[in-house]
Amino acid sequence: MTQGLWRLAMAVVLGGAAGAVHAADIALSDGQDMGCQLRIDGPIVPGDADRLDGALRDLPFPDGTTPVGQRICLNSSGGSLVEAVRMGDLIAERFMGTAVPEAATCESACALVFLGGRFAHPEADGNFIPDRVLHPRGTLGFHAPALVVEDRAYGRDEINRAYSVALGSMGEILRLRSDHAAEIPDSLFLTILNTPASDMTYVETVEQAARWQIEVAPVALTAADISSALRHACLNADGGMLDQRPSDSYLYGSANLPFTYANLGADHAQVTSRGGFRAEDVASCDMTLRADGDPLDRIGYVTIDGGGANQNTRREVYPYMFHDPRLPLSALPVARSAAETGEQIFFAAIQAAAREELSEVEIRSCWLLSPEARIVNVNDYVNLRGGPGFEAEVLRKVPLGEKVRVIATQDLRTPGTGDRVRSCLKACNDLAVDSSDIDLRAQVDRCIAGNVFWYEIRDGSGTAGYVSRKFLSD
């Protein structure tokens, strides 16, 4: 290869560093408020991958139950694309996360290193999730490899060889994507290809980050409008799973997405939408949420129940995802400590929304239609008893909204056998035959409100006992 062609080929595989450059500084990190063990500062040049390999060998293999503390902080304007892909390989093989700290910049080839970040729970049997975290005041940018040439004529063979090198650089990115199953969504890959080397596409909004499975932290939760916050989390999570822009969904500007609530507590909740997602809007968004006080970690996960067989159905949830998809990252509230996460107010808002929905549920039938039920019509909890009736021993306090299983839906139990019980049972049977009878409806309502009927259930902890029909809803 001639000297001119060598320069041309090298220009293809360099991601933006020009002139005399020095190797990146690779050293132990103080965390940089992003949960990092190592940091990489400066341009990426040949030899940096070997130096990173040596630094990683000096660290214990990650085995924690959280990605926090197992990340590599990045601050680089770019450099050698081939070297960056090798570094991404090493990070992926070690199951290390990546992070861009506050005021740091990770552009061009550095962004490819960033995409190698992932986390494997020690009990996950080799399965992993992406762990790539951008500080809301950090900078992350992507573009295509640069092609810088001398101002002279090139022969056909020189151009063809340089073109092959250019294709090879894209092949390296695809290899990173396939060999290590790095989550590089199609839309992000196309963005990299379509952004000229003289330009840069920055991750600037919540929906960009969510769609490209780039976590943004530390961010405080929002609870000013809890219904909107929950809807935004579902949209952002589903957008990441489907590689679609969350704000394109018809639900983005609609408040018509009702939620049901279960397993409520001061630091945990289960929230489920009533449909609204995937084909024909029949799939539900089911969020399992739990506070841990760490603004750099997940707050739970989302599953889409009823999605297509070949579609992703689970996504980890970070606090930033509860914000409006179109909100600029620069406008997100930064949580600099556990006290600033907003978790206490957030879960209190969920509990308030649950009470509004579940405290006045109309019971329309003496019998439950399904063995799956929820606790309703109480302020905080209902007593699970050892037998039908309020005189029986209290076994456990079952929280409002907790999902329970009815042992036999047709087996209504009663504390006694007097005339009132017989009259109520007859009214239930008669109403099942003629549901339009207003008088029968009123009589059945009085029987249920008077705690005449009881069901044997098994609560969320597995404890079996009895609860009045008044406190159970399908």
Side-chain angles (χ1 to χ4, degrees), residues 157-395:
D157 288 344
E158 290 178 317
I159 293 174
N160 285 339
R161 289 175 187 171
Y163 180 66
S164 296
V165 173
L167 292 179
S169 68
M170 289 298 98
E172 285 295 295
I173 300 175
L174 287 172
R175 184 184 59 74
L176 176 67
R177 189 184 190 192
S178 60
D179 287 0
H180 300 293
E183 295 289 345
I184 305 178
D186 290 344
S187 63
L188 176 55
F189 185 68
L190 291 174
T191 295
I192 294 172
L193 291 182
N194 293 328
T195 303
S198 58
D199 200 355
M200 195 75 67
T201 295
Y202 291 102
V203 182
E204 297 179 312
T205 65
V206 167
E207 68 179 349
Q208 276 181 307
R211 181 178 185 179
W212 292 341
Q213 300 196 32
I214 295 167
E215 314 306 354
V216 183
V219 173
L221 289 157
T222 175
D225 181 348
I226 195 62
S227 294
S228 292
L230 297 172
R231 185 174 76 255
H232 291 155
C234 287
L235 289 173
N236 286 319
D238 199 41
M241 287 185 272
L242 297 180
D243 191 12
Q244 295 177 355
R245 195 164 61 183
S247 65
D248 285 344
S249 169
Y250 80 95
L251 289 170
Y252 171 69
S254 171
N256 187 26
L257 183 64
F259 290 94
T260 60
Y261 305 88
N263 302 331
L264 299 165
D267 63 353
H268 60 273
Q270 187 168 357
V271 183
T272 305
S273 75
R274 296 174 184 168
F277 293 87
R278 304 288 171 96
E280 299 181 357
D281 302 330
V282 298
S284 60
C285 171
D286 191 350
M287 284 183 281
T288 300
L289 306 173
R290 180 172 291 277
D292 66 1
D294 191 338
L296 295 174
D297 205 353
R298 304 147 293 172
I299 193 172
Y301 61 90
V302 161
T303 56
I304 300 297
D305 185 14
N310 296 321
Q311 294 176 331
N312 291 333
T313 58
R314 175 171 168 139
R315 171 82 155 88
E316 305 300 306
V317 176
Y318 276 73
Y320 86 97
M321 297 169 70
F322 292 88
H323 292 268
D324 190 311
R326 293 185 179 176
L327 188 70
L329 300 185
S330 59
L332 288 170
V334 177
R336 301 191 182 278
S337 68
E340 296 180 3
T341 60
E343 290 176 343
Q344 184 176 358
I345 296 174
F346 177 77
F347 282 99
I350 290 180
Q351 286 183 308
R355 288 191 186 97
E356 183 176 346
E357 184 217 358
L358 301 175
S359 294
E360 296 183 7
V361 175
E362 184 179 9
I363 307 300
R364 299 296 300 170
S365 170
C366 297
W367 295 276
L368 286 162
L369 301 178
S370 166
E372 304 295 333
R374 289 182 303 154
I375 300 298
V376 298
N377 296 332
V378 294
N379 288 327
D380 295 299
Y381 63 86
V382 67
N383 288 321
L384 181 68
R385 296 182 178 273
F390 292 114
E391 301 302 319
E393 174 191 6
V394 175
L395 303 178

